[in-house]
Amino acid sequence: MAIAAPAKPVAIAVDDGFLAALAAILSDRMSTAQAVRDQHGRDESYHEVEAPDVVVFPETTEEVAAIVKLCAANDVPLIPFGTGTSLEGGVAATRGGVCIDMSRMNAILRVSTDDLDVTVQAGVTRKQLNEHLKTTGLFFPIDPGADASLGGMAATRASGTNAVRYGTMRENVLALTVVMPDGRIVKTARRARKSSAGYDLTRIFVGSEGTLCVITEVTLRLYGVPEAISAAVCPFDSLEGAVRTVIQTIQMGVPIARVELLDELSVKAVNAYSKLDHPVQPTLFFEFHGTEAGVVEQAEMVQAIASEHGGGEFKFATLAEDRNALWQARHNAYYASLRLRPGSKGWPTDVCVPISRLADAILETQEDLKTSTLIAPMVGHVGDGNFHLVLLVDPENPADLVEAQRINDRLVERALAMGGTCTGEHGIGLGKRDFLIAEHGEAISVMRQIKQALDPQGIMNPGKVLRP
């Protein structure tokens, strides 16, 4: 398997006439340059570059609808593109076609401080939104690490470090505006916080990875900025002690906002990359939100639990700049890991298991890694049972790819046997389609029926989620 593939020939339908029709919609906001096409045919993972035939840059929902109608009329595949930070090959143009880059749809359309919600175009990023909200006393908490687009986050049902307290995109998307595969513009819900009116289209499209529609607008829940925020780092004598601390903390109902696990390899990588000096031991990063008294009480409870499981001294960060530096170091763990094997490519993978099985899942995975030829740091949003490996591979070495696949297979099979899922937040894309079958069984036939009903031509991000 190679990282870069030769450029695909232009599909028969993407001829000069088709490109002229696109130009009539978009003027010069489109590109067939090879470099632009290659950029839009890759994500952050090991998957091959599979370039689209043309990249377009719409600015309105109506323009997206016109593009989709043109593609449907010519049987041309189309692939929505946010910021390219996905991890399972979700933007690869497996049949060429049109990549719809949403980056120019970056307007914040409405903020309601009274109703605690906001409507944005799909290209708005999470950092852009929170910067805009700074003066309102509100924030949007879903934080997958990368500065991803909110449309992309909805499409992949993203979560991240704050999910243990605030949930995932599934819980925080109130409504969507989408363009259907035939070009119809559909609003999936109103702004009411609850409704029992009709099928829940919002939930069908959240997590659909561009295979059912193009998301153009997103209405999201907002939250008040907590009165007090404190972060802490705690090293542990053992990985098991760190994981048992998390399990007990969750089971006791301590309302922590974040709890992140880094194994020794990850701590070593983060220290070198971000110029930190954390002890090279299994480590938990915590964050506590609430009143001044509440934050102190939460921290004291977690310290007591950690001390029972070999936890060391808590190192606190209460100033915003110190907390931001801590979490930026955690978010950079993927890039830090790549430096453990210079020239390697990351094969990132994740699973999620019931919290009661978290220790078993992590410790058994670590046993697999002890006998592996690959370097594979582990991190995890362990408050909700989700953890990740970054398998460092030489993409030109077949033995590396075989070993990475073996470790990945065992990881997922173990998670499924424990009642978990093959992916907590990365999505299916190309990389986990077969695991989806193992996880859902007969439900796959229902998913195929939905896909066929909504996208009978099969033009929406073909080859992703469900195998052709």
Side-chain angles (χ1 to χ4, degrees):
M1 183 184 298
I3 291 302
K8 289 179 175 292
V10 174
I12 294 173
V14 183
D15 54 16
D16 289 344
F18 181 86
L19 294 175
L22 276 178
I25 299 168
L26 297 161
S27 186
D28 61 349
R29 287 180 284 117
M30 54 185 284
S31 177
T32 57
Q34 188 67 53
V36 175
R37 292 164 53 205
D38 286 347
Q39 176 193 352
H40 288 78
R42 67 165 68 92
D43 61 12
E44 295 280 4
S45 74
Y46 68 97
H47 292 281
E48 294 179 352
V49 174
E50 296 191 74
D53 298 306
V54 59
V55 181
V56 298
F57 300 88
E59 295 178 348
T60 67
T61 295
E62 289 71 25
E63 286 184 344
V64 174
I67 295 163
V68 173
K69 286 178 181 178
L70 180 63
C71 288
N74 290 274
D75 285 319
V76 173
L78 56 98
I79 307 97
F81 185 96
T83 59
T85 55
S86 60
L87 295 168
E88 288 293 352
V91 299
T94 58
R95 287 169 39 199
V98 176
C99 174
I100 303 179
D101 184 313
M102 306 299 287
S103 60
R104 295 199 187 189
M105 295 187 64
N106 61 353
I108 296 170
L109 303 173
R110 177 195 58 79
V111 177
S112 174
T113 55
D114 291 334
D115 293 319
L116 300 177
D117 66 19
V118 62
T119 300
V120 301
Q121 287 186 307
V124 172
T125 67
R126 65 173 187 87
K127 288 184 179 179
Q128 178 191 348
L129 175 58
N130 279 323
E131 183 65 27
H132 183 85
L133 294 172
K134 267 188 174 180
T135 61
T136 67
L138 303 175
F139 80 118
F140 180 66
I142 309 307
D143 179 3
D147 190 20
S149 69
L150 293 164
M153 289 169 61
T156 54
R157 204 183 300 134
S159 52
T161 57
N162 277 324
V164 64
R165 173 93 173 235
Y166 297 99
T168 72
M169 289 297 283
R170 180 183 62 191
E171 291 79 36
N172 286 283
V173 174
L174 296 173
L176 299 169
T177 299
V178 304
V179 176
M180 300 300 293
D182 59 4
R184 284 175 295 162
I185 298 171
V186 172
K187 295 184 183 296
T188 63
R190 301 296 186 97
R191 289 174 53 216
R193 285 300 178 106
K194 65 178 183 178
S195 171
S196 58
Y199 298 132
D200 192 344
L201 296 181
T202 306
R203 297 296 171 269
I204 290 177
F205 296 138
V206 170
S208 61
E209 300 188 35
T211 64
L212 302 179
C213 67
V214 181
I215 296 171
T216 61
E217 295 178 11
V218 189
T219 298
L220 300 163
R221 296 178 187 269
L222 299 178
Y223 297 80
V225 175
E227 174 188 327
I229 302 175
S230 177
V233 179
C234 179
F236 284 79
D237 294 336
S238 68
L239 192 63
E240 181 174 10
V243 177
R244 297 290 180 195
T245 295
V246 174
I247 294 172
Q248 191 172 340
T249 297
I250 298 302
Q251 290 174 341
M252 289 182 64
V254 181
I256 50 174
R258 308 195 217 202
V259 55
E260 296 288 300
L261 172 70
L262 285 75
D263 71 357
E264 290 166 275
L265 263 179
S266 293
V267 174
K268 176 183 176 182
V270 164
N271 278 348
Y273 187 86
S274 298
K275 297 178 172 57
L276 300 174
D277 60 355
H278 297 303
V280 181
Q281 300 172 236
T283 298
L284 292 177
F285 287 14
F286 296 97
E287 191 164 273
F288 308 100
H289 293 182
T291 63
E292 294 283 357
V295 163
V296 170
E297 181 182 19
Q298 292 172 42
E300 289 177 347
M301 292 175 68
V302 174
Q303 280 181 288
I305 295 169
S307 67
E308 296 175 4
H309 297 285
E313 181 181 358
F314 271 49
K315 181 179 179 181
F316 285 93
T318 55
L319 296 177
E321 55 267 33
D322 294 336
R323 295 197 313 272
N324 290 340
L326 174 68
W327 291 112
Q328 190 59 51
R330 163 61 185 91
H331 291 327
N332 287 338
Y334 175 74
Y335 305 106
S337 296
L338 295 179
R339 294 200 178 177
L340 292 172
R341 186 181 178 185
S344 67
K345 192 76 174 176
W347 179 319
T349 183
D350 82 311
V351 295
C352 189
V353 298
I355 193 73
S356 64
R357 301 305 307 275
L358 180 62
D360 294 334
I362 286 178
L363 295 175
E364 289 177 27
T365 300
Q366 285 288 332
E367 287 301 310
D368 280 350
L369 295 176
K370 287 178 182 177
T371 61
S372 177
T373 56
L374 297 179
I375 299 171
M378 177 186 291
V379 297
H381 314 309
V382 284
D384 48 19
N386 182 205
F387 66 98
H388 310 247
L389 294 179
V390 180
L391 297 153
L392 302 179
V393 300
D394 173 359
E396 303 301 328
N397 183 345
D400 275 11
L401 300 178
V402 169
E403 175 64 2
Q405 189 67 63
R406 183 186 75 84
I407 293 294
N408 192 38
D409 288 353
R410 286 182 59 81
L411 175 72
V412 173
E413 289 164 3
R414 181 179 298 115
L416 295 180
M418 293 178 174
T421 177
C422 67
T423 175
E425 59 184 15
H426 290 181
I428 297 298
L430 293 172
K432 289 194 170 176
R433 293 176 298 181
D434 294 331
F435 297 128
L436 188 70
I437 296 169
E439 180 168 334
H440 285 295
E442 187 58 34
I444 295 295
S445 65
V446 179
M447 296 183 194
R448 290 192 181 279
Q449 288 177 315
I450 293 170
K451 172 71 171 173
Q452 178 63 27
L454 298 182
D455 181 23
Q457 293 175 269
I459 62 172
M460 303 296 295
N461 206 7
K464 314 304 166 38
V465 181
L466 300 172
R467 281 196 177 276

